[in-house]
């Protein structure tokens, strides 16, 4: 039998498992916790304690990625002047989008959320996490494509939002469109493309969110026995 050669040495997997009742409890508790996550559009200006965002980003970067390329960069913007420039550029694009660029169906779907072109949270939130996807890497002067970049970065952003929630902070998944202005304002290299703009911070005590209903299990799950 030929031996398989691995580039990485093999290490023992840290295996965690639980008896069925405990497993059920853990699954239910995790769902109940995740179900309390909401997108918020208001933030307190209070700074985030030192080290918190770093661990949130490390948690995001534990996400699986195509061929383990981890094709993401996270820029953390706390500089007030830069936040103002990002707000101004985002509002300029969003004004155009809400006033002619978005088709009526899209505007109709957004109407119940009450969003518009104004984005004050881009300045009030103490930190903006700007996520970039890395389309390729430059290796020895040669362009090497990354694989499943959107899927990988999407997963990392899911982990990121869960980590933010777990830390007791709030976030908004924001997608000003188009958002090329983020590449120039943050002076990002040619291989990076903006993916999401995520204001993060403490949530005001009386913050309101739309009373959305999530799909039921029957709506989303199809079992093949
Ligand atoms: C890819 C993506 C883009 C989004 N873009 C925006 C946005 O630009 N502005 C905004 O206010 N909310 C945005 N949202 C937030 C959604 O409106 C929100 O997730 C949805 O209404 C469900 O609410 P929940 O996150 O509280 O469950 C976005 C969410 C996703 C996943």
């Amino acid at each position: 039998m030929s031996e398989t050669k691995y580039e990485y040495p093999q290490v023992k997997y840290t295996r965690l498992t639980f008896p069925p009742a405990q497993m059920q409890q853990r699954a239910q508790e995790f769902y109940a916790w995740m179900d309390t996550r909401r997108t918020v559009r208001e933030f307190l200006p209070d700074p985030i304690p030192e080290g918190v965002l770093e661990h949130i980003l490390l948690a995001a970067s534990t996400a699986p990625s195509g061929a383990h390329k981890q094709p993401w960069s996270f820029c953390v913007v706390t500089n007030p002047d830069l936040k103002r420039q990002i707000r101004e550029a985002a509002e300029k694009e969003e004004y155009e989008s809400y006033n002619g660029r978005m088709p009526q169906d899209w505007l109709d779907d957004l109407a119940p959320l009450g969003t518009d072109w104004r984005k004050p949270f881009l300045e009030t939130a103490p930190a903006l996490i700007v996520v970039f996807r890395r389309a390729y890497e430059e290796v020895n002067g040669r362009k090497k494509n990354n694989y499943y970049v959107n899927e990988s970065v999407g997963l990392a952003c899911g982990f990121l939002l869960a980590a933010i929630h777990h830390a007791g902070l709030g976030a908004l998944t924001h997608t000003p469109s188009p958002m090329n202005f983020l590449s120039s304002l943050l002076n990002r290299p040619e291989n990076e493309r903006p993916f999401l703009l995520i204001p993060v911070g403490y949530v005001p005590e009386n913050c309101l969110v739309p009373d959305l209903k999530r799909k039921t299990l029957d709506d989303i799950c199809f079992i093949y026995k």
Side-chain angles (χ1 to χ4, degrees):
M1 209 165 73
S2 71
E3 222 179 279
T4 315
K5 282 243 185 292
Y6 292 100
E7 181 84 14
Y8 294 113
Q10 299 290 297
V11 291
K12 193 161 171 9
Y13 174 64
T14 310
R15 178 173 173 271
L16 266 187
T17 192
F18 305 96
Q22 201 183 341
M23 192 181 276
Q24 240 179 52
Q25 189 189 348
R26 287 176 64 92
Q28 280 172 19
E29 283 174 0
F30 187 69
Y31 159 60
W33 167 247
M34 290 301 284
D35 198 32
T36 61
R37 184 211 56 80
R38 293 302 313 272
T39 293
V40 294
R41 297 177 177 84
E42 281 175 65
F43 299 89
L44 294 173
D46 311 42
I48 297 167
E50 194 92 6
V52 171
L53 280 181
E54 287 80 348
H55 282 94
I56 285 170
L57 296 180
L58 285 168
S61 202
T62 65
S65 62
H68 190 50
K69 294 296 178 186
Q70 298 184 269
W72 42 70
S73 296
F74 301 99
C75 297
V76 179
V77 181
T78 55
N79 177 288
D81 190 47
L82 203 42
K83 285 196 294 177
R84 184 184 49 76
Q85 290 179 53
I86 290 174
R87 175 186 178 177
E88 282 172 6
E91 286 187 333
K92 193 161 164 268
E93 294 296 355
E94 291 286 89
Y95 184 86
E96 294 301 328
S97 295
Y98 277 86
N99 291 283
R101 272 203 305 233
M102 279 196 254
Q104 194 55 44
D105 274 355
W106 195 346
L107 291 170
D108 291 348
D109 282 337
L110 287 176
L113 296 173
T115 57
D116 62 22
W117 62 270
R118 294 176 193 86
K119 308 295 169 190
F121 47 74
L122 292 174
E123 278 190 275
T124 34
L128 306 178
I129 300 178
V130 191
V131 185
F132 288 85
R133 61 182 180 89
R134 301 169 69 104
Y136 62 89
E137 304 294 336
E138 198 93 34
V139 183
N140 301 327
R142 193 166 78 82
K143 278 186 186 175
K144 279 200 73 187
N145 280 334
N146 287 325
Y147 317 104
Y148 297 109
V149 173
N150 286 329
E151 292 83 348
S152 302
V153 182
L155 283 161
C157 288
F159 281 35
L160 177 76
L161 295 176
I164 290 169
H165 182 52
H166 183 70
L169 295 168
L172 163 62
T173 313
H174 184 31
T175 40
S177 174
M179 53 179 159
N180 307 336
F181 64 87
L182 292 166
S183 302
S184 41
L185 282 178
L186 301 178
N187 200 19
R188 299 312 300 165
E190 172 53 30
N191 64 329
E192 294 188 3
R193 313 271 183 277
F195 191 77
L196 289 178
L197 170 53
I198 306 182
V200 188
Y202 287 95
V203 181
E205 204 174 317
N206 298 315
C207 176
L208 297 177
V209 291
D211 185 15
L212 302 177
K213 298 286 172 265
R214 292 185 164 132
K215 288 184 175 177
T216 66
L217 193 60
D218 284 343
D219 293 328
I220 60 163
C221 173
F222 306 91
I223 298 196
Y224 297 77
K225 276 196 181 161

